[in-house]
Amino acid sequence: MQYLGDYPVREAVKGRGMARILIAEDNAEIRALVSSILVEEGHKVSVAQNGQQALDMMLEDTPDVLLLDIMMPQMDGYTVLKEIKSSGIRESMKIMILTAKTSESDWVRGYKLGADAYVTKPFDIDELTGQVEELLAMTKEQLRQRREEELDKAQLLSRLESIFESS
C-alpha cells in the first residue's frame, strides 16, 4: 500500500476509463490530497478554491463528476447546487458532496438540491474513490433512484435526530 502523508492510497486500476473531475474545495491540503488520489486513479482533475470559481469552470467545461465542499468562501456549496440546477448543466454531471457537515438535515438539504452522493470529512480514501467509481458507473435512472432512497433515509434520520435533541 502506498501512502500520501498519513493517508493510504489505493493502486490505480489499469484499464479504467478516465473521467473529468472538478474538485471544489477551499482547503488547499484536502484539494491536493483528493486531486492526487484521483489523478493516480487515472482521472483528469481540475480544482476550484471556492464556489464561484467552481461554477465558472463548470459553465465553461462541464465535468463528469463534481466533488463539492459545502462551506466555501464567495459561494457556498448549497448555492452552487442551486445555480447548477438553474443553469441546465445538472443533467450532464454527477455530484458528490464532500464536507464536514454531518447532521442529517445537511444530508437532506444536499440530496434535495441534487447531490448524488454525500461523503463526510474526515473521509476514508477507499470510500471516496469507491463512491466516485460507483457514480461513474450509474445510469441516470439509477442515480435518480439512489437520490430518492438516500433522501428518504436522511429525512427519517433527521426526524430521529430532532426527537433526540429535544429530549
Side-chain angles (χ1 to χ4, degrees), residues 1-4 7-13 16 36-43 124-134:
M1 172 97 32
Q2 291 183 322
Y3 286 83
L4 182 61
Y7 296 93
V9 179
R10 291 188 318 168
E11 294 295 321
V13 177
R16 195 182 295 171
S36 167
I37 291 164
L38 293 173
V39 165
E40 188 170 319
E41 291 283 318
H43 301 295
D124 176 82
I125 291 171
D126 288 336
E127 177 191 4
L128 177 72
T129 56
Q131 286 278 343
V132 168
E133 296 307 321
E134 190 175 315

Side-chain angles (χ1 to χ4, degrees), residues 116-127:
D116 297 307
Y118 199 107
V119 175
T120 57
K121 299 173 192 170
F123 55 88
D124 176 82
I125 291 171
D126 288 336
E127 177 191 4

Side-chain angles (χ1 to χ4, degrees), residues 60-74:
E60 187 174 309
D61 183 27
T62 306
D64 299 311
V65 178
L66 169 63
L67 297 181
L68 180 64
D69 187 15
I70 295 299
M71 298 179 290
M72 292 186 293
Q74 294 186 8

Side-chain angles (χ1 to χ4, degrees), residues 8 16 23 51 61-62 67 82 92 114 118 143 147 162:
R16 195 182 295 171
I23 301 167
D61 183 27
T62 306
L67 297 181
K82 290 175 192 173
S92 62
Y118 199 107
L143 284 170
R147 272 193 307 274
S162 296

